[in-house]
Amino acid sequence: MSLTLPASRLRTQVASIIEGTGSSPAEARQVADNLVLANLSGHDSHGIGMVPRYVDAAAEGGLKPNSGVKVVLDTGALLTLDGQRGYGQIVGVQAMELGIARAKAHGSCIMTLGQAHHLGRIGHFAEMATAQGLVSMHFVNVLSRPVVAAWGGGDGRFGTNPCCIGIPLPGAEPFLLDFATSRVAQGKMRVAYNKGEKVAPGHLIDENGAPTDDPGVVVVPQSNGLFGALMTFGEHKGYGMAVACELLGGALTGGGTWHRPADTARTVLNGMLTVLIDPAKLGTQAAFETEARAFVDWLRQSPPGAGFDEVQIAGEPERKARAARERDGIWVDDATWSEIMAAGAKVGVRITSAD
């Protein structure tokens, strides 16, 4: 069973629940718009299914509605920022606005953001940068229950630790690479579990460290009270990238790294190192535009391989999904919808599929 609902209705419903956590109407709407945009982009793992966790995190006190980003250090091209546990969809945007302004003024900006509540889809921040003609690189860690195993390890030791790179392309949509360093995002396992689906081999280990295809091992406690773990992509290479994201997004930002036993807290904190570059001030703008476009054109000239219709570049699947889902609606499984309705009830907001 499932529902297909228009994006406009979901924006309104989610905003009402977020406002119920104590957010101002403007903040609630911005958070809701961001979550629905993730669904529209095909990333349901970072979309409205996060609402129940946000409601619980606000009740715990780990998520603090109406908190803004705090400037700790500003030397122009260097920014150190504290998210003060505010909604990541708010403080992340505020941080990017500051960083973009500095990169436009100085040619580049290195920005750290610590103690932001769940930042959501990091590609959103890269889109902000590329819209201004900037290159952006983002390295993020996750302070929450450790759900990803170290290469050669048998339990979860860190988070899904995403990496994102945005590159503007002349006369075309940007290159937007946005990926978790686990083989799949934790949220995708929540979605699969709610849909009653199994996952492909090689993605998961169970609570005993053995391979499994059951996404529930990282969603709900198993018989011994423990959880399984996700595997990193690319074996030791993805593991190395995950560690780099922990060290850069967590240690370098001052936001902290994970090095303690898991708990049951619902709060999700992110640290993010962002590097912004303005090609116009680097002195390579003309060559950059010519060579970038030539390379992308060269890629597209490749004949499609078996099982494919064409060669795409990062960012294209998301843009296609947005057009289709804005037109046709957003699919929501019954389990996720029930969780969202229950989250609304916790803050005194009643929603139905007919609202």
Side-chain angles (χ1 to χ4, degrees):
M1 297 290 291
S2 63
L3 304 166
T4 300
L5 300 172
S8 57
R9 181 185 299 170
L10 289 174
R11 291 185 187 102
T12 299
Q13 292 171 324
V14 170
S16 68
I17 297 174
I18 298 300
E19 192 171 344
T21 69
S23 290
S24 68
E27 176 172 275
R29 185 71 187 195
Q30 184 172 329
V31 173
D33 287 351
N34 183 281
L35 291 173
V36 173
L37 180 60
N39 287 103
L40 286 172
S41 303
H43 294 287
D44 296 319
S45 57
H46 291 69
I48 61 173
M50 291 300 301
V51 169
R53 186 151 194 177
Y54 290 179
V55 168
D56 291 345
E60 287 176 355
L63 164 59
K64 300 186 181 299
N66 305 311
S67 294
V69 73
K70 176 183 176 182
V71 178
V72 178
L73 176 86
D74 181 359
T75 67
L78 285 171
L79 282 172
T80 303
L81 306 173
D82 181 353
Q84 302 191 102
R85 300 197 171 206
Y87 272 104
Q89 293 83 356
I90 302 298
V91 298
V93 167
Q94 292 173 346
M96 285 300 297
E97 289 173 344
L98 289 169
I100 287 169
R102 298 302 187 277
K104 286 286 191 180
H106 302 285
S108 65
C109 179
I110 297 174
M111 176 184 74
T112 64
L113 173 64
Q115 293 292 301
H117 196 265
H118 187 242
L119 287 165
R121 190 178 68 91
I122 307 303
H124 179 67
F125 306 127
E127 287 171 343
M128 290 180 64
T130 56
Q132 298 296 317
L134 302 177
V135 172
S136 72
M137 293 172 277
H138 310 264
F139 304 89
V140 183
N141 84 318
V142 184
L143 296 182
S144 180
R145 178 172 60 84
V147 295
V148 184
W151 176 244
D155 65 356
R157 289 283 148 166
F158 47 85
T160 52
N161 292 10
C163 178
C164 180
I165 300 172
I167 303 173
L169 298 175
E173 297 286 355
F175 171 91
L176 282 165
L177 179 66
D178 181 14
F179 62 94
T181 48
S182 54
R183 285 200 63 175
V184 289
Q186 163 71 2
K188 292 188 186 298
M189 296 297 93
R190 169 178 49 78
V191 172
Y193 175 73
N194 284 344
K195 292 166 66 177
E197 296 178 349
K198 299 297 184 181
V199 299
H203 287 66
L204 296 164
I205 55 174
D206 66 17
E207 69 278 14
N208 299 310
T212 181
D213 61 359
D214 177 12
V217 300
V218 293
V219 180
V220 296
Q222 301 304 292
S223 58
N224 57 5
L226 300 176
F227 288 87
L230 293 159
M231 305 298 289
T232 56
F233 82 90
E235 301 179 333
H236 60 285
K237 297 178 182 179
Y239 167 53
M241 177 66 80
V243 173
C245 286
E246 190 76 25
L247 297 175
L248 296 173
L252 188 62
T253 65
T257 60
W258 189 276
H259 43 76
R260 59 183 174 83
D263 55 36
T264 59
R266 299 282 278 169
T267 299
V268 182
L269 297 176
N270 289 139
M272 178 169 70
L273 170 69
T274 296
V275 178
L276 297 162
I277 302 168
D278 185 353
K281 286 188 166 55
L282 193 61
T284 62
Q285 179 79 23
F288 169 64
E289 292 184 352
T290 299
E291 290 299 318
R293 189 58 182 267
F295 180 65
V296 171
D297 289 345
W298 167 252
L299 291 175
R300 296 194 192 284
Q301 291 167 18
S302 174
F308 292 88
D309 296 324
E310 61 181 349
V311 170
Q312 298 186 79
I313 65 166
E316 289 182 345
E318 288 81 358
R319 290 188 285 269
K320 290 178 180 178
R322 285 180 197 174
R325 291 187 172 195
E326 191 72 68
R327 180 189 66 241
D328 302 330
I330 294 171
W331 184 92
V332 186
D333 66 86
D334 279 351
T336 296
W337 186 249
S338 295
E339 291 171 359
I340 292 171
M341 288 194 297
K346 289 180 180 180
V347 293
V349 174
R350 180 180 181 273
I351 63 169
T352 72
S353 59
D355 287 347

